């Protein structure tokens, strides 16, 4: 007996297994070819393992494609700088070798490492290529350690070397660089490793361009039975460790710049060596509320271990105008912090209480957001000392 199509209509939105069961009955009645039913998957027989593997494969393919495309672009950018800046400077002798080395560091070696990696990626040998690339990661650490010296050398040469200044201006105008300056191009290897990096022809940045993100994602979406799994896992670990070291080097360099800047702002005998070896957190104006009288504005410098209060020098001071005199140094390990008011926000600002064994400070700000930033920074400094 045949089961016509109209005898068991399936309403729109019905579960897929109802159609599958109906087709089974039609096949039994000879209404449709039984082989057709066999080709229709039973929705109740879904395999979560196969589905997960399929998702891994899709993510892996997408990540691999992103890594390959960005590596091609990265190598092209490295090559442009190596050709139009480093190579021509070397040929013309515009900079002496020590100055050129200080400016570009291990750029040519990093470029060579990318040239070695790219063919492996193009052939799909991800594990082998990235494992070999990890032997060159020390070049990125060296490049990071030289970054501050590189920027200093660039500024010095632009200031005193007329030939170099004219050359840089000419090369920066080339359409290949999309309006970027040499100082914007120099951090490119570090940005490729662990930060956002720009394309020469675009002002946009992409977080997916980082070696760290891409290689970790590639390893996570490679099955444990894959021949690439162990190589990719090792590569992801080594690249993440290198990125962390590079990040630490950058943070130390920025901190040193802050310390030098603050030391230059402080004057007088008491100011000598005050910032040495410290970790800078925050600075800004706050009002000191005395037990009697009007609040007095003071400049505060917060370090990981101390809070420095400074008073501006008189504008008419012949030698020290524009600097600050250190008035007090408060140890964060002995500080007890309390927000007196200003918890809920609003236009009225707030008041912080800082208690020390021999003194109590009341600090006020009319800016609620600024005071909240100070409260969080002070809390961080206190907890770091007590822990």
């Amino acid at each position: 007996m045949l089961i016509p199509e109209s005898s068991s209509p399936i309403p729109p939105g019905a579960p897929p297994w109802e159609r599958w069961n109906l087709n089974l009955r039609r096949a039994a009645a000879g209404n449709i070819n039984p082989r057709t039913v066999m080709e229709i998957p039973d929705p109740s027989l879904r395999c979560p393992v196969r589905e997960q593997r399929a998702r891994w494969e899709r993510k892996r393919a997408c990540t691999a494609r992103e890594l390959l495309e960005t590596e091609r672009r990265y190598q092209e950018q490295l090559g442009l700088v190596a050709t139009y800046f480093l190579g021509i400077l070397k040929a013309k002798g515009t900079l002496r070798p020590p100055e050129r080395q200080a400016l570009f560091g291990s750029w040519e070696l990093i470029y060579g490492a990318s040239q070695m990696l790219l063919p492996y990626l193009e052939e799909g040998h991800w594990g082998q290529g990235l494992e070999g690339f990890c032997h060159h990661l020390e070049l990125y650490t060296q490049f990071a350690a030289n970054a501050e010296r590189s920027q200093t050398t660039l500024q010095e040469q632009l200031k005193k070397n007329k030939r170099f200044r004219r050359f840089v201006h000419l090369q920066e105008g080339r359409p290949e660089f999309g309006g970027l300056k040499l100082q914007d191009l120099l951090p490119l290897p570090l940005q490729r490793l662990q930060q956002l990096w720009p394309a020469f022809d675009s002002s946009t940045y992409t977080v997916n361009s980082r070696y760290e993100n891409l290689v970790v994602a590639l390893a996570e979406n490679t099955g444990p039975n894959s021949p690439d799994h162990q190589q990719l896992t090792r590569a992801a670990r080594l690249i993440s460790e290198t990125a962390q070291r590079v990040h630490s080097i950058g943070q130390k360099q920025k901190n040193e710049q802050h310390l030098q800047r603050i030391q230059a702002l402080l004057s007088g005998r008491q100011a000598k060596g005050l910032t040495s070896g410290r970790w800078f957190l925050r600075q800004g104006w706050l009002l000191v509320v005395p037990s009697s009288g009007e609040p007095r504005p003071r400049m505060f410098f917060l370090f990981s271990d101390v809070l420095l209060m400074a008073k501006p020098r008189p504008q008419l001071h012949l030698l020290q105008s524009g600097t600050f005199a250190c008035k007090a140094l408060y140890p964060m390990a002995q500080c007890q912090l309390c927000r007196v008011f200003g918890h809920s926000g609003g236009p009225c600002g707030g008041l912080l209480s800082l208690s020390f064994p021999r003194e109590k400070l009341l600090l006020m700000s009319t800016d609620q957001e600024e005071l909240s930033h100070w409260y969080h920074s002070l809390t961080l400094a206190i907890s770091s000392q007590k822990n």
Side-chain angles (χ1 to χ4, degrees):
M1 172 179 154
L2 297 181
I3 302 179
E5 291 283 343
S6 58
S7 64
S8 301
I10 299 178
W17 58 79
E18 289 190 11
R19 180 175 295 278
W20 193 77
N21 288 332
L22 176 61
N23 286 334
L24 280 178
R25 294 198 303 272
R26 288 174 178 164
N31 202 23
I32 62 174
N33 190 338
R35 185 171 297 179
T36 304
V37 180
M38 299 303 295
E39 293 173 354
I40 302 174
D42 181 354
S44 65
L45 299 178
R46 292 173 55 189
C47 179
V49 175
R50 280 201 300 268
E51 291 178 357
Q52 180 61 52
R53 286 174 180 169
R55 284 194 292 269
W56 282 343
E57 284 302 319
R58 287 194 297 270
K59 290 181 180 179
R60 174 185 164 88
C62 182
T63 303
R65 183 171 62 253
E66 180 76 13
L67 177 58
L68 175 59
E69 292 174 356
T70 55
E71 186 64 22
R72 283 172 176 160
R73 187 63 178 142
Y74 172 56
Q75 185 183 123
E76 179 187 351
Q77 295 172 341
L78 289 174
L80 288 171
V81 174
T83 300
Y84 292 116
F85 282 101
L86 218 165
I88 297 177
L89 284 172
K90 188 184 297 185
K92 296 178 68 173
T94 308
L95 289 180
R96 295 182 298 121
E99 296 162 345
R100 195 172 62 245
Q101 178 63 29
L103 180 58
F104 292 100
S106 53
W107 189 283
E108 288 181 302
L109 296 175
I110 289 174
Y111 179 37
S114 177
Q115 288 178 309
M116 294 174 63
L117 171 63
L118 187 57
Y120 285 98
L121 302 186
E122 290 176 333
E123 295 172 7
H125 303 315
W126 310 101
Q128 186 179 357
L130 288 167
E131 189 174 46
F133 172 75
C134 288
H135 297 307
H136 304 283
L137 286 175
E138 183 60 28
L139 296 173
Y140 285 84
T141 306
Q142 296 169 4
F143 194 86
N146 185 65
E148 187 176 8
R149 183 183 174 210
S150 173
Q151 291 292 339
T152 302
T153 302
L154 176 61
Q155 298 306 320
E156 290 176 350
Q157 292 300 316
L158 287 173
K159 186 176 181 179
K160 69 180 184 181
N161 189 330
K162 187 176 180 180
R163 286 182 61 202
F164 177 73
R165 184 167 61 249
R166 188 187 303 118
F167 168 79
V168 169
H169 180 72
L170 181 67
Q171 298 303 88
E172 287 175 346
R174 300 184 70 93
E176 292 90 341
F177 296 111
L180 291 177
K181 304 296 182 183
L182 180 56
Q183 66 178 6
D184 303 321
L185 302 173
L186 287 176
L188 178 63
L190 302 183
Q191 294 166 343
R192 172 61 163 161
L193 178 69
Q194 57 142 22
Q195 298 175 1
L196 304 178
W197 65 292
F200 285 2
D201 56 356
S202 173
S203 60
T204 59
Y205 290 70
T206 168
V207 71
N208 291 328
S209 301
R210 304 187 300 185
Y211 275 140
E212 185 180 11
N213 277 18
L214 291 170
V215 178
V216 169
L218 195 62
E220 288 177 347
N221 291 291
T222 298
N225 296 327
S226 170
D228 282 350
H229 178 73
Q230 289 188 355
Q231 293 174 317
L232 288 172
T233 301
R234 283 195 297 268
R237 176 177 56 81
L238 291 172
I239 289 175
S240 295
E241 290 172 356
T242 303
Q244 185 59 45
R245 284 196 295 271
V246 166
H247 178 73
S248 298
I249 291 171
Q251 292 296 100
K252 289 177 182 178
Q253 290 176 348
K254 289 180 181 178
N255 183 66
E256 188 60 32
Q257 292 171 1
H258 282 303
L259 297 183
Q260 292 174 2
R261 176 182 57 82
I262 294 170
Q263 189 65 64
L265 289 174
L266 301 174
S267 58
R269 293 181 181 178
Q270 294 180 334
K272 291 183 178 179
L274 273 180
T275 63
S276 178
R278 293 201 153 99
W279 195 266
F280 171 76
L281 296 179
R282 190 171 197 80
Q283 77 175 72
W285 290 95
L286 292 171
L287 295 172
V288 178
V289 182
S291 56
S292 62
E294 294 295 320
R296 300 185 299 268
R298 293 289 183 266
M299 174 62 76
F300 286 88
F301 300 95
L302 177 62
F303 302 94
S304 57
D305 61 330
V306 294
L307 176 66
L308 190 155
M309 182 173 69
K311 179 181 179 180
R313 298 281 186 180
Q315 292 293 327
L316 298 179
H317 198 291
L318 294 178
L319 299 177
Q320 298 176 335
S321 174
T323 63
F324 295 86
C326 177
K327 304 303 293 182
L329 207 62
Y330 301 99
M332 288 292 96
Q334 301 175 4
C335 178
Q336 291 186 346
L337 175 66
C338 176
R339 194 189 303 223
V340 180
F341 68 85
H343 299 75
S344 58
C348 299
L351 183 70
L352 299 179
S353 171
L354 284 75
S355 299
F356 300 92
R358 297 184 179 181
E359 190 173 353
K360 183 175 182 179
L361 271 180
L362 290 176
L363 303 180
M364 185 174 74
S365 174
T366 57
D367 187 332
Q368 175 66 44
E369 185 178 359
E370 177 69 10
L371 196 76
S372 294
H373 290 323
W374 270 104
Y375 179 79
H376 291 302
S377 297
L378 287 165
T379 301
L380 176 64
I382 294 169
S383 62
S384 69
Q385 291 302 302
K386 291 185 177 180
N387 292 337

